[in-house]
Amino acid sequence: MNRLANFCAGPATMPTEVLQKAQAELLDWRGKGTSVMEISHRSADYIEIATKAEQDLRTLMGISDDYAVLFLQGGASLQFSAIPFNLLNGGTADYLNTGTWSQKAYKEAKRYETLGLGSINLVAQGGGKDVPTPDTWELTDGASYFHYCPNETIHGVQIFDTPKVNAPIVADMSSCILSEPINVSDFGLIYAGAQKNIGPAGLTLVIVRKDLMERASAWCPSILNYKNQADSDSMLNTPSTFAWYLSGLVFEWLLANGGVEGIAKTNRAKAELLYQVIDNSSFYDNAVNPRHRSIMNVPFTLADSELDKVFLEKSKNAGLLNLKGHRVVGGMRASIYNAVTYEQVQALADFMKEFEKTHA
Ligand code: PMP
């Protein structure tokens, strides 16, 4: 087996044990003579897989019956549209922009103003290195909802404290879901593309407080309507069955490995390893305000960008894959989601120190 350390931002590395389990039951799932991807989503066998995945996620995140859990498609990006369609309800929604992804969500929502569906208010605009402090936020009284992105995947900017606002909070948790315990009841809606901490691409998770599902605009396409999806157990049409199944295996893996509380400790320690190397050197730099440094995505630059190519080539040769930063930020980025092990991050930290010695 030659599985290397994969620091890709997404689709990201999956736990090896999960892939092994999927491999073992790929051709013949539990003696049924077919694979999971070959059975009807409406069959009793599949419903069992789907229900178990939802139950395990509810256990992992402490999700109460006040919330619906939806397993949808279209990525987090489709939720940028689905959210105003379902929740704006002729009012004003507040958006906090802290990087590329919250900016995209804001821009997409802004288009709905032209439909006369309501208004979209920019609360504050961050520059990708810091988060505007709450005292500068221009909040709307009685806003329909407040949208933000707790972890900006590209910039590596994380907001650790849940914002204190009076509107239902909508959070794009694509790159931080299941990385640390959160209090779900603080949120009106949580959404995430699966391809980082949940499973393979093709699945989008939406956790929505049930009372908020009653507000959808008459324009809302049925497939985007949360109430419709909840009433049909996310099976209004054919769901992403295999991705849902694999995500269920990831939830089982997480439960067997200390749950979210357990993985959070390792995640903190992993991030600490890299930030220490960066801070103890004048060769590497991370420009994010230390209070908002992401524990999932660690971007860093080298003192001389001419060395980027060499760094990428040598790290790849050392079995450390996909460290190229996003083009918006440049430099490097190590995405260290749940399935990236402490040992792999240690190997990266060691490589960085060695590279600095030979190239600084
Ligand atoms: N939000 C965040 C925070 C992301 O990291 C990403 C993907 N990298 C997206 C939204 C878009 O997700 P998708 O590709 O699933 O639409």
Side-chain angles (χ1 to χ4, degrees):
M1 189 166 64
N2 183 32
R3 280 181 60 74
L4 302 176
N6 179 2
F7 299 96
C8 190
T13 195
M14 298 265 294
T16 299
E17 297 92 317
V18 164
L19 295 183
Q20 282 170 327
K21 175 134 203 247
Q23 183 182 43
E25 54 192 27
L26 183 66
L27 297 183
D28 179 8
W29 182 75
R30 298 196 191 164
K32 303 281 178 177
T34 68
S35 82
V36 171
M37 72 179 98
E38 299 165 309
I39 59 175
S40 165
H41 54 294
R42 307 210 184 274
S43 64
D45 285 337
Y46 191 78
I47 303 276
E48 190 190 318
I49 293 172
T51 311
K52 167 98 172 29
E54 178 181 332
Q55 281 315 324
D56 284 349
L57 183 71
R58 282 185 183 273
T59 306
L60 280 166
M61 293 182 67
I63 305 170
S64 77
D65 285 343
D66 295 339
Y67 290 77
V69 177
L70 309 176
F71 291 79
L72 307 177
Q73 300 184 60
S77 302
L78 189 56
Q79 291 308 310
F80 298 165
S81 307
I83 289 160
F85 261 138
N86 279 276
L87 304 183
L88 195 52
N89 197 22
T92 299
D94 282 346
Y95 277 69
L96 173 67
N97 287 0
T98 49
T100 301
W101 292 111
S102 45
Q103 178 83 23
K104 281 193 192 232
Y106 166 72
K107 277 196 174 158
E108 194 64 24
K110 202 73 185 156
R111 302 177 64 215
Y112 288 78
E113 279 185 346
T114 61
L115 292 175
L117 272 175
S119 307
I120 304 297
N121 169 51
L122 181 60
V123 165
Q125 177 73 53
K129 295 189 173 118
D130 206 348
V131 175
T133 51
D135 58 308
T136 66
W137 296 359
E138 294 186 20
L139 294 165
T140 306
D141 262 348
S144 302
Y145 61 91
F146 169 93
H147 179 279
Y148 82 120
C149 179
N151 187 61
E152 286 285 356
T153 320
I154 292 175
H155 294 88
V157 172
Q158 188 156 2
I159 300 172
F160 294 97
D161 298 327
T162 309
K164 291 188 176 50
V165 294
N166 286 324
I169 299 176
V170 174
D172 175 359
M173 294 203 184
S174 294
S175 51
C176 59
I177 194 158
L178 295 169
S179 65
E180 288 205 301
I182 57 158
N183 192 0
V184 172
S185 61
D186 289 344
F187 297 87
L189 186 148
I190 292 167
Y191 66 105
Q195 62 273 20
K196 297 146 196 318
N197 264 345
I198 298 171
L203 187 76
T204 315
L205 198 70
V206 173
I207 302 163
V208 53
R209 220 174 63 209
K210 286 178 181 164
D211 62 295
L212 295 174
M213 299 195 304
E214 307 295 335
R215 298 188 185 182
S217 102
W219 299 62
C220 183
S222 344
I223 202 87
L224 299 187
N225 183 301
Y226 298 137
K227 179 87 172 47
N228 283 356
Q229 288 287 9
D231 287 347
S232 59
D233 297 323
S234 308
M235 294 192 188
L236 208 56
N237 67 337
T238 315
S240 236
T241 53
F242 199 63
W244 191 334
Y245 151 78
L246 283 170
S247 301
L249 295 187
V250 172
F251 301 153
E252 284 176 6
W253 169 82
L254 203 46
L255 282 169
N257 285 280
V260 179
E261 285 77 11
I263 208 91
K265 285 196 197 105
T266 316
N267 285 336
R268 289 262 166 191
K270 279 153 48 181
E272 187 66 24
L273 273 179
L274 295 185
Y275 288 120
Q276 254 175 25
V277 173
I278 293 165
D279 288 343
N280 290 337
S281 115
S282 50
F283 181 75
Y284 298 110
D285 185 47
N286 169 282
V288 177
N289 175 348
R291 289 184 53 233
H292 290 290
R293 281 174 162 179
S294 169
I295 58 162
M296 289 281 101
N297 309 95
V298 182
F300 59 94
T301 49
L302 314 190
D304 178 1
S305 60
E306 294 278 302
L307 287 171
D308 285 4
K309 254 184 141 175
V310 189
F311 184 94
L312 287 169
E313 201 179 293
K314 289 202 170 173
S315 54
K316 190 174 170 198
N317 291 341
L320 307 165
L321 308 182
N322 298 316
L323 286 163
K324 191 170 169 28
H326 192 278
R327 61 189 179 281
V328 167
V329 177
M332 308 297 147
R333 172 176 49 169
S335 293
I336 48 176
Y337 301 121
N338 288 349
V340 177
T341 65
Y342 184 85
E343 290 69 29
Q344 289 173 328
V345 178
Q346 180 74 64
L348 172 59
D350 293 344
F351 171 85
M352 287 170 71
K353 284 190 250 178
E354 191 55 37
F355 188 87
E356 178 177 359
K357 260 195 223 155
T358 44
H359 294 84

